[in-house]
Amino acid sequence: MENNHSAGQAAIPPFGEREECRGFRMTLPSLEIMQANIGRRCNLACKHCHVEARPDRVETMGKDVMAACLDVFERRRFKTLDITGGAPEMNPHFRWFAENAAERGFHTLVRTNLVILNEEGYRDLPEFYAQSGVELVASLPYYTEKDTDRQRGTGVFAACVSVLRELNALGYGKAAGPTLNLVYNPGGAFLPPNQEALTTEYRKKLSELYGLSFNNLYALTNNPIGRFGKFLERSGNMTGYMTRLTAAFNPAAVENMMCRNQISVDFDGAIYDCDFNLALGLAANIPHNIRDLGDAELTEREIVFGNHCYACTAGAGSSCGGTTA
Ligand code: SF4
Ligand code: SF4
């Protein structure tokens, strides 16, 4: 199935019809990752945000959908619960969800923008995370204040450094402590640099300048949708960016596209192949909401591709867990 959305894609070969993609149109028979997008509300409004989260968004996952996620996770033997948003911490049932997942022994990771952990009402969360053993995947677009604040807003970098110090003091990012992974994404219409080299650079700079440590760095490619897509259209860069992504198509990245091994559940329980398809409203080929899902309905399925998928296969590939090729 193919869905092509953005303007500027007319000359781009349809992603799903590429010879190299044909053998990988289906998911794996048994999925390992359940990503739950528990709301669009966020304390930030970043320039590259593909779900266009901001402080006044109201979409919020209720406890009934969360409970259904936990049940399906257990029944279908998923391996990782990946909680995202918006700022997932701003969902009023977030603690309940994360606590229940931890009590049931699920490997749980939370995607955090860090800044929220510095705000009134959320200051207890670093301790809560450390006690629950939650893995953290934290956005830090760059190791300099100027570049980070340009992308995410004034004061973001300083808040991130302060929270990272606190997380390090709780054991996060140390060899024996809970895992703290950082996420880099480009500040414009270009591909990320080499993940390994960037990791070395981040490690050196963050350690030297701020005494910070972390476990891994994921270098992600910006997907040309949502707020970033609108920026590309506005600035006349969409065609150039899509051409760049297409020219950098790497057949070796196709096999490990994250959609082959996961489902993404939206705040209302609707199911998607990934968070990008969720943002675009491209529902997965699964007939039911997570609340009414039959056991037979999570077997191998055809993935819904579009030309935004070129962002996942450009260069070294890109997924929520970093490069794929
Ligand atoms: S990119 Fe993340 S932190 Fe920034 S607005 Fe979107 S959800 Fe919030
Ligand atoms: S955007 Fe990426 S993860 Fe989503 S369906 Fe396309 S290739 Fe798969």
Side-chain angles (χ1 to χ4, degrees):
M1 188 175 289
E2 186 78 19
N3 270 280
N4 294 315
H5 279 261
S6 301
Q9 298 195 24
I12 307 286
F15 181 86
E17 288 172 24
R18 290 188 74 115
E19 191 57 39
E20 303 92 326
C21 298
R22 291 228 172 102
F24 302 103
R25 302 184 63 91
M26 307 298 286
T27 62
L28 299 171
S30 173
L31 305 177
E32 295 186 333
I33 302 165
M34 177 187 284
Q35 190 167 63
N37 190 318
I38 68 172
R40 300 286 194 282
R41 196 167 161 227
C42 188
N43 52 322
L44 303 179
C46 305
K47 286 185 178 157
H48 68 285
C49 186
H50 67 274
V51 291
E52 301 187 63
R54 54 174 195 263
D56 62 350
R57 294 286 297 258
V58 294
E59 302 90 331
T60 302
M61 186 181 280
K63 264 191 187 175
D64 56 336
V65 177
M66 290 176 172
C69 286
L70 295 171
D71 287 345
V72 171
F73 186 100
E74 190 155 57
R75 241 178 29 236
R76 298 296 303 171
R77 299 189 181 163
F78 279 87
K79 296 202 163 43
T80 298
L81 179 64
D82 177 341
I83 306 179
T84 188
E89 294 96 335
M90 295 180 90
N91 180 310
H93 313 301
F94 168 70
R95 285 173 170 81
W96 179 88
F97 192 36
E99 256 165 17
N100 269 273
E103 273 165 23
R104 288 162 85 156
F106 303 166
H107 172 231
T108 303
L109 67 85
V110 174
R111 295 185 184 271
T112 181
N113 65 37
L114 295 171
V115 181
I116 189 71
L117 305 178
N118 218 21
E119 295 194 357
E120 202 55 47
Y122 303 93
R123 294 287 304 121
D124 61 316
L125 279 175
E127 194 89 42
F128 168 82
Y129 284 145
Q131 275 165 14
S132 326
V134 162
E135 177 178 331
L136 292 177
V137 180
S139 318
L140 190 67
Y142 210 50
Y143 54 74
T144 62
E145 182 164 12
K146 192 169 125 226
D147 292 286
T148 298
D149 285 7
R150 193 188 303 133
Q151 192 176 128
R152 315 211 107 180
T154 307
V156 164
F157 186 77
C160 288
V161 168
S162 156
V163 170
L164 286 170
R165 277 203 180 110
E166 191 177 349
L167 291 170
N168 279 172
L170 288 163
Y172 271 101
K174 313 272 180 187
T179 304
L180 170 64
N181 295 326
L182 300 183
V183 177
Y184 159 90
N185 68 278
F190 53 90
L191 294 179
N194 175 277
Q195 180 172 281
E196 213 178 305
L198 196 61
T199 304
T200 307
E201 211 175 311
Y202 259 66
R203 228 183 265 299
K204 186 167 182 293
K205 296 285 183 191
L206 289 178
S207 164
E208 276 174 13
L209 298 172
Y210 307 104
L212 298 173
S213 57
F214 61 94
N215 297 99
N216 305 292
L217 176 82
Y218 300 151
L220 305 195
T221 302
N222 286 330
N223 201 291
I225 63 170
R227 209 172 275 141
F228 184 63
K230 286 178 182 157
F231 154 76
L232 291 173
E233 297 282 10
R234 240 186 2 258
S235 59
N237 275 311
M238 179 61 91
T239 304
Y241 188 63
M242 284 307 303
T243 305
R244 203 163 296 147
L245 293 181
T246 311
F249 177 76
N250 179 0
V254 175
E255 185 174 0
N256 297 323
M257 294 177 303
M258 60 186 172
C259 49
R260 301 196 66 233
N261 194 22
Q262 71 164 53
I263 57 167
S264 283
V265 185
D266 205 358
F267 72 95
D268 59 0
I271 301 174
Y272 298 86
D273 296 316
C274 70
D275 209 49
F276 302 122
N277 284 6
L278 177 153
L280 287 169
L282 302 176
N285 288 311
I286 295 176
H288 289 114
N289 188 285
I290 192 97
R291 285 172 292 199
D292 323 298
L293 198 65
D295 275 350
E297 291 169 359
L298 270 187
T299 50
E300 241 177 323
R301 66 177 193 280
E302 190 179 343
I303 301 162
V304 180
F305 290 131
N307 279 357
H308 61 293
C309 296
Y310 278 109
C312 298
T313 53
S318 179
S319 74
C320 287
T323 56
T324 55

